Amino acid sequence: MSKIKYINRRDFLKFLGAGATAVATSCITPPKKNNPNAVSNREITGEMTYRTNPSTGDKVSLLGYGCMRLPTVSTDSVREGADEINQEAVNRLVDYAIEHGVNLFDTSPAYCKGLSERAMGIALSRHPRESYFLSTKLSNFSKITWSRENSLQMYHNSFKELQTDYIDYMLLHGIGIYDADDSDGLDAMATYRARYVDNGVLDFLLEERNAGRIRNLGFSYHGDVKVFDYLLSLHDEIKWNFALIQLNYVDWKHAKEVNEKNTNAEYLYGELRKRGIPAMVMEPLLGGRLAALNGGLVTKMKQRRPEDSVASWAFRFAGTHEEVLTVLSGMTYMEHLHDNLVTYSPLQPLSDDEFAFLEDMAQLILKFPTVPCTNCKYCMPCPYGIDIPSIFTHYNKCVNDGNVVNGKDDSEYALARRAFLIGYDRTVPKLRQADHCICCGACISHCPQQIDIPTELRKINDYAESLKRNP
Amino acid sequence: MLKILRVTFAIISIVAITLLFLDFTGVAQGWFGWLARVQFIPALLSLNVIAILSLIIVTLLFGRVYCSVICPLGVLQDVVNNVRGWIGKKKKRQNRFKYSKPQTWLRLAVMTLFIAMIIMGVANVVMTSLASFIEPYSVYGRIASSLYSPLYDTGNNLLADYAESQGSYDYYHVETYTSMPVMIVAVVSLLVVSVMAWLGGRVYCNTICPVGTILGYLSRYSLLKPVIDTTKCNGCRKCERNCKATCIDAKNHNIDYTRCVVCMNCIGKCSTGAISYTYRRPKSSVKVVKVAVDKDLNEDRRNFFTIGAMVTAISVAKATDKTIDGGLAPIVAKAEPQRAVRIVPPGAISLSNFESHCTACQLCITACPNGVLRPSTALSTFMQPVVGYENGYCRPECVKCSSVCPVGAIKPISVADKSAIQIGRAVVRLDACIVSSEGKKCGNCVRNCPSKAITMAPKNPNNIASNMMPVVNEAKCIGCGACEYLCPVRPLSAIYIEGNHVHKTI
């Protein structure tokens, strides 16, 4: 693990000293909330940039609203708390988004513990149906939903929850994902067939498209690229209206470096472009990881565009590609929404020089030994109660803050140790920490980033153990 | 002057000893740990010759300063006494003491019984356990650990919440594990001692406390003691009326030195300067001054300190635990297995050594950072610490309990020593193990065993494809409980620790 310097936190810790029994000196520490880099003070100056869908002529806003991380009553993302979705906050966000030109909302029957579609139905039905495009998915991941009957039930339920009689964008969800430990030994292709072909669901969806209840049919892809290539080979026959791919400045050329099993976005986008299939983009920010960079990288970005947020670089990267129809962002907070609206109203495309700069940044980011988790929580709930994404989030934060150190010889060892261990107990309850992972591997097949979760958890546990044993 | 000195040292001493039970960072232990070790009975039990000799010499020189300054329970009674002095009608609260006859037989009987129980404790644990009910240091320890400590931790956790909101790592959450039986004992002890102090001053110290009796008879021969100069005495009896040990017989100018705790209150009260703390013996009275009727006693300003008020206002509160997130699978709490032999911490040497020394002061329990030590509820070892692994395990880098024990029940050990002390060994319940019975992947006990004592092996030696099972090499196991704590099988783990009667070196 490489050693990274990030002075701010260190300095005030030094200043404060470490005595836990001392008086409440912490009142002099500056407030620190969420991620300050994601917030922008800029104003929305112009009009939203729109892209045209060649098959239907839809004018789609470049910023699409991802509905996977809706706010809860406790103001945190719904998948982080036991609380209900904060419908009022969702309504406010939707109103603000529509008011400022956002017209595509992307959800799924699986999101937010299955509550996302209903919340979006409530919020969106307050607006005229023609003022927005609805995008949802057939999320029949679980084996019990593979039957035609159960898949169609899921499909029809989406209409009910979203309070609509047509879906603008319908996706086969997560093709390429499969369970390597599957008892029937199904690989990615076999899993795809079982979910959509053998049960006739794809044929059914094509009929629905002909009937006009689905205006655009596409698929979202993670995992085994064979399935992606196969579906594109069927393009002449099926006429995909769009496809949803993961695209950002790290995955553009380096997806394979992050994980052997992943595919570079450059290839995916190129294949779609060759066939004239518009690309929907997901994970433009890698679940916020590209907004929470190490301090040194933040400085480099701010030096170039002091007014712009760190997140705006990632959004400009995704949006600059002409064949991108819309960039989905899962915006939990008004600040996120506002910042993204500023970035895309209108889009200022990246220059060649800026492309090269982001490529340099990507290479620097790869040097940080962070876990490529986007906090999507597909792996949850872990049957043994481990809070996987929170463990990774804590670890990544410590890596970026320079609180992951090589050994006792490091001059900052004591402070880094304290920050890591105390922060660990704060973020993750003891019984949900990595030492309780039994490496059953149930999570692996669910991870869209193909992270070998048990191995990563074990590494983090080994690190925590080494800190605990060497005070 | 002497009284101010006494009060100053007493405050420092009680605050320091209380901190030993409250401070979970180990800082107080580093500074004041010796204060627990010089407590009379702990020093006696741990055969701490230097401490005992020092205490005896101090008593022979200055009288029972131990009872006034070093003993936290004694100081606590003074606090209660002071509070009593502020409350109620002036007539009732001032000059309220009166000489009482010594309860010599009761004192000697209790002391003899106590010593007998300690000696018998070597053979019979119940005796040590019973003796610890009246042992002053342990009584105070239980009050501090089960009554003050939850309050202290709650305060700390509030600070930790605030620190977290400010992104600071200066404070962190601690979990308080409270035991109802110990808390009840602590509340009852506190009530009994307080009521006795409220009504009769140092009556506990001078009738029940075995340490008070031992030191009392020693202090009879002390070099310095308060002496009444009968030539100066005007017989006002102010000294007697303010003696919380009720040991001054002003009428006869007699002081019962077995009960005097050299608090120096009488010296300050005497308006004629007839009492002095001196090596001179009382002169035979030439002329006995008639005892005056109590009247017109000046209202002396009491030396007060406000900590006392807080002591009575103890309530037990606990910060509410964070509720579990909805997206997370519920976790069933672990249950304690029925162990044939209970587990005592490394350094205890053996169950019998441990049980015959431990006075159940709770110091190790409050010091344990891993939630492993808790008071026993078994009758024979009531309130003595016992090891359990539901909330954590006995971590390899920690030797805190052994470093704080003042009575020698847990002898000091180093981290290196600990890695070779077997306090128990792991026992596998194969029918419950998910690897063995269901063929699932796990091996968490193997991965987390600090002494690499567990391996996975095929159940059928002739078929490597058969289900695996954890196998314990008992020669390497130290009984730390990592396997039991981290076993995914709940509530009863599929692997648990069985205690050793005698700890072994491996």
Side-chain angles (χ1 to χ4, degrees), chain A residues 39 50 88 98 152 180-181 208 215 221 238 267 279 286 300 302 311 335 401 416:
Chain A
V39 182
Y50 290 89
E88 244 177 77
I98 290 182
L152 295 199
D181 285 340
E208 288 290 287
R215 295 183 57 248
Y221 155 76
I238 292 178
Y267 170 81
L286 283 175
K300 283 186 193 222
K302 292 284 180 188
E335 293 78 9
D401 288 356

Side-chain angles (χ1 to χ4, degrees), chain A residues 9 12 16-17 20-24 26-27 29-31 80-82 113 181 380-382 384 387 397 418-419 422-423 426 431-432 435-439 458 461 465 468-469, chain B residues 23 25 152 156 159-160 162-172 175 324-331 393 395-397 434 440-442 444 447-448 450 485-486 488 490:
Chain A
R9 177 181 303 271
F12 82 68
L16 288 175
T21 50
V23 281
S26 44
C27 55
T29 43
E80 289 164 17
K113 291 188 275 173
D181 285 340
M380 300 292 283
C382 157
Y384 293 94
D387 191 351
K397 179 176 178 286
R418 203 176 163 83
I422 294 176
R426 279 179 188 170
L431 292 180
R432 303 194 181 283
D435 55 354
H436 283 84
C437 166
I438 69 160
C439 299
R458 218 151 66 201
N461 185 45
E465 270 296 314
K468 284 182 187 169
R469 291 194 191 181
Chain B
D23 174 35
T25 61
Y152 184 84
N156 171 78
L159 275 178
Y162 182 68
E164 186 174 355
S165 74
Q166 301 297 308
S168 149
Y169 297 108
D170 290 331
Y171 295 90
Y172 54 88
E175 281 163 65
I324 294 164
D325 289 356
L328 297 160
I331 297 178
Y393 68 98
R395 292 198 49 88
E397 72 278 359
I434 57 170
K440 281 192 187 164
K441 282 189 197 170
C442 179
N444 213 31
R447 266 193 302 283
N448 288 286
Y485 170 62
L486 293 168
R490 290 168 175 275

